[in-house]
């Protein structure tokens, strides 16, 4: 992991994160604007669900980042436990909040889509229930990590929780395959997509756009936490 | 059923959440980094 | 370096154990977590008359009929060779169509007809513009 270890030094990390933050943010917002415009005006409606298919362009990226956020927590937790990476605890805490927000957005946009298409806002099927569980895991993790940081913990306890929560990710992904659910099966798999190209293409724009914005938010939150740490260290030295 | 109110609601919720999240992260970062700068001087 | 390797092995083993345990727990849940019964399940296992269940499958082509009172809809839910007659009074969702997925909530009557209180439309994983419909659309079952 030489690349990760080069970032272990907060000063070196900041020298990369500072210029990268606005680049990710503006590139992401630009892609989102183009993707949303294309998804709202250029693409055809679906043969069965009609216009409501357009919600896909915000729902799928939310689901992807809701799950991707937990993957981020798990990777950071792993490198904290194994390599004691000095930025890992901060990275995990920076990812958690946007991850939770995207998990919530996935549930909300899915519910809004469900009403006109399925005829219900919410059903306790395997996919919806497991995604709701992930959202609750985020809330619990954020609370735990905050308590740990306030007590001056080294982040190991939230890291163990972060790794354990990973078990939910394959359950969410395969819930629609293992069980009969109201939610449709996976459209995009390694073998290809069952979404017609004319409907699919803006999804790549919004997916990339949301991911870049997610990255910018994580960098901003990490920078804030690093500055806060510096501030507190300085205060302690001045008080001593 | 007209789907457009649902579509606009979904996009609106996402846009609002993004604006809040970006705005709050940006402000928190600026405040903390400026405080570090002030201390250094 | 030794301690680092030890931690790496430990963390990897723990991760594998946790994910394995999760998968096991979930597969033990098995059919319990199924959201609906299919007509094939009903034919194979039987469902007691009057028990509230969900029945899911494809709406058989040409099976939708409106009864004389004008509000009761009769149709057949099929899943491969198995089929179940369904009766529903009320407003159907927009996506309720022949040859597409449906999940009906309700209970069986003694004569084997499923009396639905509520209908939900089930979309499948294929999305396409209207002009492509037809030839490409041939879902025959809701089995995952």
């Amino acid at each position: 992991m030489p690349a990760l270890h080069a970032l272990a030094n907060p000063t070196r990390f900041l020298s990369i994160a500072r210029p990268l933050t606005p680049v990710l943010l503006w590139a992401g917002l630009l892609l989102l604007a183009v993707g949303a415009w294309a998804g709202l005006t250029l693409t055809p409606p679906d043969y069965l669900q009609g216009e409501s298919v357009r919600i896909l362009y915000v729902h799928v990226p939310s689901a992807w980042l809701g799950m991707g956020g937990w993957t981020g927590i798990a990777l950071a937790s792993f490198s904290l436990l194994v390599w004691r990476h000095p930025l890992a605890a901060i990275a995990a805490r920076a990812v958690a909040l946007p991850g939770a927000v995207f998990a919530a957005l996935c549930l909300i946009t899915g519910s809004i889509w469900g009403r006109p298409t399925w005829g219900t806002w919410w059903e306790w099927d395997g996919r919806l229930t497991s995604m709701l569980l992930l959202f609750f895991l985020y809330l619990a993790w954020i609370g735990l990590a905050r308590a740990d940081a306030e007590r001056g913990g080294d982040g190991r306890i939230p890291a163990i929780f972060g790794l354990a929560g990973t078990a939910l990710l394959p359950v969410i992904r395969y819930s629609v395959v293992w069980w009969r659910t109201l939610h449709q099966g996976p459209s995009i798999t390694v073998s290809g997509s069952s979404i017609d190209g004319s409907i699919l293409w803006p999804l790549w724009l919004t997916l990339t756009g949301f991911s870049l914005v997610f990255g910018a938010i994580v960098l901003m939150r990490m920078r804030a936490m690093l500055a806060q740490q510096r501030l507190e260290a300085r205060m302690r030295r001045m008080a001593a | 059923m007209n789907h457009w109110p649902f579509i606009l609601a979904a996009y609106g919720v996402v846009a609002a959440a993004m604006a809040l999240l970006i705005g709050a992260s940006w402000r928190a970062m600026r405040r903390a980094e400026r405080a570090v700068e002030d201390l250094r001087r | 370096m030794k301690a680092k390797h030890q931690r790496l092995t430990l963390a990897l083993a723990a991760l594998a154990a946790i994910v394995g345990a999760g998968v096991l727990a979930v597969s033990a849940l098995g059919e319990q977590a199924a959201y609906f019964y299919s007509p094939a399940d009903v034919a194979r296992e039987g469902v007691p008359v009057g028990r509230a269940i969900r029945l899911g499958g494809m709406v058989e082509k040409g099976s939708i009929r409106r009864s004389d009172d004008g509000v009761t809809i009769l149709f057949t839910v099929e899943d491969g060779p198995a089929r179940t007659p369904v009766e529903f009074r009320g407003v159907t969702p927009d996506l309720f169509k022949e040859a597409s997925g449906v999940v009906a909530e309700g209970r069986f009557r003694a004569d084997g007809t499923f009396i639905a209180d509520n209908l939900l439309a089930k979309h499948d994983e294929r999305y396409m513009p209207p002009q492509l419909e037809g030839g490409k659309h041939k879902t025959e079952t809701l089995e995952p």
Side-chain angles (χ1 to χ4, degrees):
Chain A
M1 289 272 167
L4 268 182
H5 280 280
L7 290 177
N9 179 342
T11 320
R12 199 172 305 159
F13 166 79
L14 283 175
S15 72
I16 297 167
R18 279 215 181 89
L20 197 57
T21 311
V23 173
L24 289 184
L25 185 62
W26 291 113
L29 288 176
L30 182 71
L31 280 175
L32 281 183
V34 176
W37 171 71
L40 287 174
T41 61
L42 295 184
T43 55
D46 178 65
Y47 77 101
L48 186 60
Q49 44 179 308
E51 302 288 350
S52 70
V53 68
R54 304 186 190 285
I55 294 174
L56 172 96
Y57 306 119
V58 291
H59 175 70
V60 172
S62 303
W64 150 255
L65 287 168
M67 293 170 72
W70 198 278
T71 312
I73 291 180
L75 288 175
S77 301
F78 194 83
S79 67
L80 185 142
L81 290 173
V82 175
W83 296 292
R84 305 264 189 271
H85 194 289
L87 286 178
I90 283 181
R93 291 185 62 203
V95 167
L97 180 72
V101 168
F102 276 108
L105 285 176
C106 169
L107 292 166
I108 294 169
T109 55
S111 174
I112 294 174
W113 179 84
R115 185 64 194 82
T117 33
W118 294 334
T120 177
W121 295 104
W122 183 267
E123 285 294 317
W124 293 100
D125 87 336
R127 172 55 73 79
L128 277 62
T129 309
S130 55
M131 195 64 199
L132 184 65
L133 212 56
L134 178 67
F135 175 65
F136 289 147
L137 273 195
Y138 269 117
L139 296 188
W141 193 90
I142 291 170
L144 182 66
R146 189 170 296 166
D148 181 74
E150 272 167 13
R151 284 186 199 169
D154 55 5
R156 254 191 278 181
I157 292 166
I160 291 167
F161 181 12
L163 276 190
T166 317
L168 189 58
L169 296 180
V171 175
I172 297 175
R173 176 68 175 78
Y174 291 103
S175 55
V176 292
V177 180
W178 290 338
W179 304 310
R180 296 195 200 113
T181 52
L182 184 60
H183 194 286
Q184 54 272 32
S187 294
I188 300 168
T189 59
V190 278
S191 58
S193 160
S194 56
I195 301 176
D196 187 73
S198 62
I199 290 179
L200 183 64
W201 67 270
L203 180 59
W204 301 124
L205 297 180
T206 57
L207 205 53
T208 318
F210 277 113
S211 303
L212 294 182
V213 170
F214 188 95
I217 292 169
V218 169
L219 287 183
M220 287 193 269
R221 289 173 54 78
M222 285 181 76
R223 282 170 61 181
M225 283 186 230
L226 282 172
Q228 202 66 41
Q229 267 187 356
R230 257 178 211 204
L231 219 54
E232 279 160 18
R234 191 70 61 101
M235 296 290 197
R236 268 199 300 277
R237 239 176 296 146
M238 273 156 58
Chain B
M1 195 188 297
N2 181 10
H3 288 176
W4 281 102
F6 292 92
I7 299 168
L8 296 179
Y11 277 70
V13 168
V14 172
M18 285 295 94
L20 278 176
L21 197 55
I22 294 169
S25 309
W26 178 260
R27 265 201 310 275
M29 179 191 79
R30 287 304 296 262
R31 203 184 307 127
E33 289 190 341
R34 216 169 263 158
V36 172
E37 292 293 312
D38 289 347
L39 265 188
R40 199 168 283 162
R41 254 180 276 127
Chain C
M1 207 56 204
K2 183 105 201 312
K4 204 178 274 182
H5 277 143
Q6 237 167 20
R7 290 202 299 269
L8 178 61
T9 342
L10 201 67
L12 282 175
L15 192 62
I18 288 162
V19 173
V23 169
L24 271 182
V26 156
S27 69
L29 222 62
E31 293 291 296
Q32 294 284 316
Y35 179 71
F36 55 82
Y37 286 84
S38 73
D41 297 336
V42 173
R44 198 172 53 243
E45 300 160 20
V47 173
V49 170
R51 190 206 282 175
I53 63 156
R54 296 194 195 90
L55 176 78
M58 307 303 291
V59 179
E60 191 185 2
K61 222 170 185 140
S63 76
I64 302 179
R65 285 179 295 122
R66 202 166 272 274
S67 82
D68 299 333
D69 64 6
V71 281
T72 308
I73 292 153
L74 303 150
F75 60 95
T76 309
V77 172
E78 62 173 353
D79 175 51
R83 37 189 32 81
T84 306
V86 178
E87 207 180 294
F88 173 69
R89 286 167 69 95
V91 183
T92 57
D94 287 359
L95 269 68
F96 176 75
K97 280 181 187 169
E98 292 179 351
S100 83
V102 71
V103 174
E105 299 177 323
R107 38 189 60 76
F108 275 102
R109 202 166 55 193
D111 66 354
T113 304
F114 190 77
I115 310 300
D117 315 316
N118 191 23
L119 287 187
L120 300 173
K122 189 178 186 315
H123 194 271
D124 65 20
E125 68 278 10
R126 282 188 311 267
Y127 298 68
M128 61 189 108
Q131 57 270 29
L132 280 182
E133 200 214 334
K136 265 187 167 179
H137 187 70
K138 43 179 185 284
T139 303
E140 266 146 25
T141 174
L142 285 187
E143 288 297 327

